[in-house]
Every structure is written in structure tokens, then in C-alpha cells.
Amino acid sequence: MLLWPASLRLTRQHQPVRTFALDIGNTAVKYGCFEGNALLESESGQTAAQILAALQRLRPTHGIVASVAEPTGEWAAALRQELSGQVLEFSPATTPLPLHNAYATPHTLGADRLAAAVGAAWLRPGHDTLIVDAGTAIKCDLVEGGHTFRGGSIAPGLRMRFEALHKLTGRLPLVEMPAEAAAPIPLTGHDTQAAIRSGVLNGAAAEVNGFIASYQQQFPQLGVVLAGGDAAFFQPRLKGLIFGIPELVLIGLHRILAYNVKL
């Protein structure tokens, strides 16, 4: 009978488990593949066919799916066809969590907000953290002491603001985001498009900085974790101790899966 060398047997026995986190957002489908606690790969804007190709190439064993846009059942069923281990459908109202959820209406809480809070709590244990998730909506959420999700605020995202000005008025044009996220936005717009761009972009940055300043008055050691598709715009414009972690929601989903499944 063939016996593996002892060193090889040890490597095989302790090989980290691969997990797959799937985040169904309002505008994009994102995935992250983890080995142990390390993020091996992540992608955004994925089709079902691209997700399947990633699963077949990366060969994870366990998975978790969360959605703010549609029911998770069909996605979970598709994952179960490819994965040999458990697939968890994340529900903010019922799924056990590695932090305390103090939100008054967990059944109305977006899965992305709570997953981001779990990710922030794991990355900054024992610390007060404000999460700024700048995506379709701009969410500012507080994790107190690294262990309690308190809730926060939800406001229109950048593109939603541009679209609202165009659709809800008679003559204002639809203005696009600047090609370079970090490019300066003049405070005074000398034409209509520039004025809209200043109002939306400078206004949103001032709004988020105002939230940060207000939270800092209550929590002087506050750290800010920045995530979401428009994080690159906000990164150079926010004040305080800023940690840019684009994969925060995926990290949180992975931690929720690890908490619920014996890996």
C-alpha cells in the first residue's frame, strides 16, 4: 500500500479550507474566495457564468450568499451544486453573528450593512469604528467597541444624486462621474455641468465628513473604514483615521460563515 511521506501527510491534513462569499448588490454581483483567513481573489460585476467559472477554477468547499437585491435561494442552490460543504444563506434577522446586533428592526436591515459591520469588528477588535460604505447608497454605520452594531444612516449615492437632479427637473442635464476619481472638483462651477458636479461631489464629501466629525465628538478614538464602489472618490477627501478596505462586505460574510460552520 502506498504511504505518503509524513511531511506531505501533515501538509494535506492541515491544508486551509477554501470558502466562497457571494454578495448580490443593487448594481453588481461580487465574490471573494478565502483560504483560511486570507482573501485569495475577489471580483465585482460578475455574471452567473463568470461565477461558475470561478467556482470550478478555485474549488472552494463552503460558501455563503447574501443579497440586498433579490432572494438568495436560486444563487444558494447553484452554489450547492458546485460545493461539497455547507452553503449558508445569510439573513440579518436570523443568522447567528460574532457580534451583537443592536438594530431595532433586524428584519429590515440590509445584509451588506451587517456583513460590513462584522468585517469591521473582526479587523478592529475593541475599537469604535465608523463604516462608510459608498455604493449605490452611502451608508455610515457605527460598530461600538468592536463588538456592537448600533446602526447609522443611509443617503443617496453619487450616481443616484446625479440621476435625481436630471430626472426630477425639467432642464438639468445628466452629469457623469469624473474619469479620475481623485481629480479636484472646483468649488465654484462656472457652467451648469460643473455646478452640478460641485454640488453632488463636494456636497457628498462634506456630508460624510460632517458625520465623521459628529461621531468623533462621541467617540474620540474613532477609526473610519471605507468601502464600496465609490471609495476611491472619498478616500482623499475624508478626514480622520481612514482605512480603505474595498472587500469589507466579503470579509464580513466570510467571518459569518466561519462562525456558523466548523471549518
Side-chain angles (χ1 to χ4, degrees):
M1 182 175 66
L2 177 64
L3 294 177
W4 295 105
S7 59
L8 206 78
R9 290 202 305 271
L10 187 64
T11 300
R12 288 164 59 87
Q13 183 180 0
H14 291 83
Q15 184 176 4
V17 173
R18 283 192 177 182
T19 62
F20 197 83
L22 189 59
D23 174 26
I24 315 299
N26 287 304
T27 57
V29 176
K30 300 168 280 286
Y31 76 80
C33 183
F34 296 80
E35 188 170 87
N37 288 323
L39 178 61
L40 291 180
E41 178 178 306
S42 65
E43 292 290 346
S44 181
Q46 298 293 285
T47 65
Q50 289 171 320
I51 296 293
L52 176 60
L55 287 168
Q56 294 176 342
R57 174 171 50 83
L58 295 166
R59 308 310 304 171
T61 56
H62 297 71
I64 181 170
V65 57
S67 175
V68 297
E70 59 188 81
T72 57
E74 290 189 9
W75 286 99
L79 287 181
R80 291 187 180 102
Q81 291 181 357
E82 299 297 324
L83 305 184
S84 59
Q86 186 171 343
V87 174
L88 182 67
E89 295 182 63
F90 176 46
S91 166
T94 60
T95 303
L97 299 170
L99 89 169
H100 175 56
N101 182 9
Y103 206 67
T105 56
H107 60 284
T108 69
L109 178 57
D112 56 343
R113 294 176 66 195
L114 193 52
V118 171
W122 182 70
L123 292 168
R124 304 191 74 243
H127 295 283
D128 300 316
T129 302
L130 183 68
I131 302 161
V132 178
D133 189 346
T136 304
I138 298 172
K139 285 108 41 180
C140 297
D141 285 316
L142 176 67
V143 177
E144 185 177 0
H147 53 67
T148 302
F149 175 70
R150 293 294 182 189
S153 61
I154 305 173
L158 300 180
R159 288 162 184 79
M160 194 182 298
R161 297 177 193 221
F162 284 127
E163 290 175 4
L165 282 173
H166 173 60
K167 292 178 179 179
L168 300 179
T169 63
R171 299 180 60 185
L172 291 179
L174 178 61
V175 177
E176 300 293 333
M177 287 285 292
E180 295 293 331
I185 307 299
L187 184 63
T188 303
H190 295 292
D191 58 56
T192 300
Q193 290 210 10
I196 292 173
R197 193 170 285 115
S198 175
V200 168
L201 300 179
N202 290 325
E207 175 186 309
V208 174
N209 275 314
F211 274 113
I212 293 172
S214 295
Y215 276 109
Q216 285 174 333
Q217 291 180 358
Q218 299 181 50
F219 306 96
Q221 303 303 315
L222 183 78
V224 179
V225 173
L226 177 62
D230 288 325
F233 168 79
F234 283 98
Q235 180 82 52
R237 295 173 169 88
L238 298 187
K239 301 173 183 177
L241 185 62
I242 311 296
F243 303 92
I245 307 176
E247 303 87 3
L248 184 65
V249 171
L250 296 173
I251 292 170
L253 290 174
H254 169 70
R255 296 313 309 165
I256 293 166
L257 178 64
Y259 184 76
N260 283 272
V261 178
K262 299 294 185 182
L263 299 180

